[in-house]
Amino acid sequence: MNDPNADVCMTLPARAELQDHLLSAIHDLDRLHGLLADACAALTAGFLGATHELQGLRAARPAPGEELGRAALHLAAAAHALQFQDLSAQLIAHTSQRLRHCAGRLAQAAFADDDGEAVVETAPPRPNPVTQQQFDTGTVELF
Amino acid sequence: MHSILAVDDSASMRQMVSFTLRTAGYDVTEAVDGEDALDKVRAHDFDLVLTDQNMPRLDGIGLTRALRDTPKFKATPILILTTESSDQMKQAGRAAGATGWLVKPFDPARLIEVIGIVMRRPAPPALRPGTEDRR
């Protein structure tokens, strides 16, 4: 394992440029997080509205037809898919923390030349808590 | 009507969980993290707690421990619904007193099925109220 306190062997301008890239990536991830949250909020509002309408239609009909049953199945599938925002947000947060740690390490190394100090954010734990590769339904284990 | 406390710091997840449970006929109360959940259980009784693991202030395992230390929640089913799938975390959840470990994303029909199963089955003797000193 690499020594977390080991110096980064780069020139100061190279460190500054790399740190700038990392900070830009962190900023972009923050924007992505916001975009996903906004999109998910709109999708969820549409989902809940459609569900409410469907429930109204089912209640109004003495014998709901097959088309309402199919619509309910589509909404159930949407309830599964709409969970993407939670998993994505956790992945983004984890990655952002790792990038902030790397940027902090670079800053620390640069300041060390001037006997200065930089606050380095703790690296996130390994592995990433979100391990899903695909959007399959998760496992269930009862104790 | 059975009441369920749904705990998650993600608003979208809370909405999806609440929608799924209410559609199945459950009375649902939402909490935004473990500390908020502890505030809610002081005022209300719940038949089941469904909680996320990674949350600010107090996580799902910490909440489970705190609830198991509360006499009225000794036997209440507690399900942890999380992105975490490592065996180490599952064992930590089990040791804290969780009833089950569900990995996200959940399938609505499967979630309702699992909740029905854990609500019907008897609690382990060690978790029944008043039995903790008889082992």
Side-chain angles (χ1 to χ4, degrees):
Chain A
M1 178 181 271
N2 293 334
D3 178 1
N5 298 315
D7 195 3
V8 180
C9 299
M10 297 175 76
T11 63
L12 190 58
R15 286 174 190 163
E17 184 182 356
L18 186 54
Q19 191 186 20
D20 187 53
H21 283 304
L22 289 171
L23 294 174
S24 294
I26 293 165
H27 177 66
D28 288 346
L29 283 175
D30 286 345
R31 289 193 304 118
L32 175 62
H33 181 269
L35 288 168
L36 283 173
D38 287 348
C40 190
L43 285 168
T44 302
F47 166 82
L48 294 174
T51 301
H52 182 73
E53 294 294 337
L54 181 67
Q55 287 169 342
L57 286 171
R58 293 187 110 170
R61 293 188 187 182
E66 283 185 17
E67 72 276 18
L68 292 186
R70 286 196 298 273
L73 287 176
H74 286 305
L75 286 171
H80 177 254
L82 280 169
Q83 297 167 56
F84 79 92
Q85 197 268 336
D86 180 50
L87 273 72
S88 303
Q90 289 191 52
L91 265 175
I92 290 170
H94 193 91
T95 305
S96 291
Q97 187 182 351
R98 190 173 301 288
L99 292 177
R100 285 195 299 273
H101 169 74
C102 293
R105 290 272 310 276
L106 285 168
Q108 186 182 49
F111 280 126
D113 293 343
D114 301 327
D115 293 328
E117 287 185 4
V119 176
V120 180
E121 182 168 336
T122 309
R126 292 174 190 268
N128 190 316
V130 181
T131 56
Q132 289 84 343
Q133 298 287 339
Q134 294 178 313
F135 209 69
D136 297 330
T137 297
T139 56
V140 173
E141 191 169 330
L142 297 181
F143 304 135
Chain B
M1 183 186 288
H2 289 299
S3 61
I4 295 178
L5 177 61
V7 192
D8 203 306
D9 60 322
S10 161
S12 64
M13 278 304 299
R14 282 199 310 277
Q15 286 178 312
M16 284 305 111
V17 167
S18 295
F19 161 77
T20 300
L21 300 180
R22 286 184 180 125
T23 302
Y26 293 106
D27 179 28
V28 183
T29 298
E30 297 180 13
V32 299
D33 58 34
E35 289 289 349
D36 188 28
L38 290 177
D39 287 341
K40 298 272 166 56
V41 303
R42 286 186 194 106
H44 303 282
D45 289 339
F46 296 99
D47 298 302
L48 182 141
V49 176
L50 179 63
T51 179
D52 183 22
Q53 163 54 18
N54 295 316
M55 297 181 288
R57 302 207 295 168
L58 181 63
D59 64 21
I61 290 175
L63 171 62
T64 302
R65 281 197 202 99
L67 290 175
R68 290 302 183 218
D69 285 339
T70 307
K72 70 176 180 176
F73 282 98
K74 286 266 186 226
T76 304
I78 301 174
L79 295 174
I80 297 183
L81 175 62
T82 175
T83 57
E84 299 259 10
S85 58
S86 73
D87 287 339
Q88 189 181 0
M89 290 299 293
K90 286 180 189 174
Q91 289 311 311
R94 183 176 192 166
T99 311
W101 192 275
L102 289 69
V103 178
K104 295 175 182 175
F106 70 85
D107 172 63
R110 180 73 175 128
L111 178 64
I112 295 304
E113 181 188 357
V114 169
I115 286 174
I117 290 170
V118 298
M119 278 190 164
R120 282 193 300 272
R121 74 180 188 179
L127 294 180
R128 285 183 200 139
T131 60
E132 63 271 23
D133 297 328
R134 296 178 197 163
R135 281 171 285 169

